[in-house]
Amino acid sequence: MNAPGLLLAIESSCDETAAAVIDRCLRICSNVVCSQDELHRQYGGVVPEVASRAHVERIIPAIDEALRVAGVGLDDLAAVAVTSRPGLVGSLLVGLTAAKTLSLVLDIPLVDVNHVEAHLFACQMSAGRPVFPAVGLVVSGGHTLLFDCRSAVEFEILGSTIDDAAGEAFDKGAKLLGLGYPGGPAIQRAAAAGNSRAVKFPRPMIDSPQLDFSFSGLKTALLYEMQGTSHGRLQPGALEPGALDPARVADLAAAYQEAIVDVLVAKCRKAVRRTGRPRLLVGGGVAANRRLRECLAELAAAESLEVIIAPPNLCTDNAAMAAMAWEHLDRGRRAALDLDVSPNPIRNR
Ligand code: KG4
Ligand code: ZN
């Protein structure tokens, strides 16, 4: 079925409360993202209970603002889309409850969207044309996943992280280096003045034939490097704020970023060669990373591959990318009002 009218999309899987209005041609009429960064900064990471409470306060204002910016009312909506997985359960439930209520009251279809798949659908939205089939890499604070994307609604996981996600590695590394939260942009900024060859960090699992990732050892390697224990000498107080000089911090940030990027690009190369897909889609917050973008451009040239990276405003969490709900609506898919949320990325429709 082709639902006319507008889609209201709601996203609350982690620490952004987001709502967007998208038309059938994937035109973004509004894309409102209320960040909670200031609430979580003092902890150096997202605190689930703080996040879900903040979503409760922000969800209705975010929806109102999305409708206001789009210049439409509730009666103009043809369907409501919502992220149901994966994410923090308490956070997901806030968005789901709002979406179910609107679906029931307005008597319009409810469609659930897988957040990691939506990160890849963002590539189709920016390209403005069909981009599937493709290999997909989702790199965010909670996930590092490689997909074989057969179509806009058929995703098979080829590999995932066995411990920390790539974004988590950026966030934890930045915390160790005293660079603040969120860590990805902070490390990118610090790395700009550094020499990525000053320190040689490990590239975990880079030579394994599997398409899985591991980043927790890298963070430990950074810790040892900062303490001086990687050279067998412990420098007392090395982890105190301001203990390292800014040039050393810049070098460590650049080398650490380079190690994460190297592993991500090597696994993408392997996945593309293995599947024979002509295209690589990249989404999620870490896809905003400048060095990753540079190295993916080199990969595209070397492998004669089309690489489509979601634009920065569609890389980090947002509701507009949940416009992939139109693909489900076209296939007659609807969610029932007893729909539940899940922390797991694998859909069991
Ligand atoms: O997709 P996202 O907004 O939220 C999740 O679903 O997790 O991703 C957030 C993650 C954080 O770990 C943040 O540090 C990272 O994306 N990030 C970056 C950059 N911008 C955001 N990592 C590296 N470089 C960036 N420029
Ligand atoms: Zn995300």
Side-chain angles (χ1 to χ4, degrees):
M1 166 210 148
N2 241 341
L6 297 169
L7 178 75
L8 172 69
I10 296 172
E11 147 64 31
S12 65
S13 65
C14 191
D15 62 335
E16 321 282 1
T17 317
V21 174
I22 313 101
D23 74 12
R24 186 63 196 89
C25 302
L26 302 184
R27 194 175 65 87
I28 300 171
C29 308
S30 62
N31 189 13
V32 173
V33 180
C34 304
S35 167
Q36 299 179 11
D37 279 356
E38 82 283 3
L39 296 178
H40 302 284
R41 187 164 286 128
Q42 59 184 307
Y43 308 107
V46 177
V47 181
E49 180 61 22
V50 172
S52 48
R53 283 167 190 256
H55 282 307
V56 171
E57 288 166 5
R58 294 162 193 223
I59 190 80
I60 292 176
I63 293 170
D64 281 344
E65 181 67 0
L67 294 171
R68 191 191 66 74
V69 173
V72 299
L74 290 171
D75 291 343
D76 298 306
L77 301 179
V80 56
V82 66
T83 305
S84 63
R85 66 172 54 221
L88 302 170
V89 165
S91 291
L92 287 164
L93 277 171
V94 178
L96 181 63
T97 306
K100 280 183 180 176
T101 307
L102 285 168
S103 165
L104 187 66
V105 169
L106 301 173
D107 192 23
I108 54 175
L110 173 71
V111 190
D112 62 313
V113 167
N114 182 316
H115 178 73
V116 285
E117 295 174 0
H119 268 304
L120 295 176
F121 191 76
C123 296
Q124 173 141 321
M125 298 181 72
S126 71
R129 63 185 157 84
V131 298
F132 300 96
V135 164
L137 172 72
V138 178
V139 266
S140 69
H143 302 280
T144 304
L145 287 160
L146 264 172
F147 287 97
D148 183 16
C149 318
R150 292 197 200 96
S151 74
V153 294
E154 294 168 283
F155 296 78
E156 185 199 337
I157 294 181
L158 299 172
S160 62
T161 180
I162 61 168
D163 42 53
D164 292 351
E168 200 176 349
F170 273 107
D171 292 338
K172 289 178 174 173
K175 194 173 179 180
L176 281 172
L177 288 167
L179 293 172
Y181 176 84
I187 288 199
Q188 176 175 296
R189 268 193 305 277
N195 170 10
S196 63
R197 295 203 191 92
V199 180
K200 179 79 182 163
F201 282 120
R203 269 63 173 158
M205 295 180 77
I206 201 164
D207 294 321
S208 107
Q210 269 102 37
L211 294 171
D212 290 331
F213 304 84
S214 166
F215 291 108
S216 68
L218 189 53
K219 167 197 67 198
T220 311
L222 173 62
L223 175 69
Y224 288 167
E225 192 60 44
M226 290 175 68
Q227 289 175 325
T229 42
S230 63
H231 306 302
R233 55 191 160 78
L234 181 63
Q235 292 170 1
L239 297 181
E240 298 301 317
L244 296 178
D245 75 48
R248 172 82 171 142
V249 170
D251 284 349
L252 288 169
Y256 188 77
Q257 171 176 264
E258 198 68 15
I260 297 173
V261 167
D262 257 6
V263 175
L264 293 175
V265 172
K267 296 287 173 173
C268 285
R269 183 184 301 110
K270 233 171 242 180
V272 165
R273 288 185 180 170
R274 198 165 294 173
T275 58
R277 297 295 187 204
R279 204 170 290 118
L280 172 68
L281 312 178
V282 188
V286 179
N289 185 267
R290 218 172 297 131
R291 182 66 187 138
L292 177 61
R293 287 172 171 258
E294 276 170 20
C295 293
L296 287 172
E298 287 165 17
L299 178 74
E303 302 283 320
S304 304
L305 176 75
E306 185 185 14
V307 176
I308 303 178
I309 309 174
N313 67 322
L314 293 181
C315 272
T316 44
D317 284 348
N318 67 87
M321 63 193 187
M324 79 176 291
W326 284 121
E327 300 281 345
H328 293 302
L329 282 164
D330 284 350
R331 290 161 176 82
R333 289 190 188 154
R334 306 278 185 281
L337 284 177
D338 63 357
L339 172 69
D340 206 352
V341 299
S342 168
N344 193 320
I346 298 171
R347 186 173 32 194
N348 48 7
R349 254 186 236 283

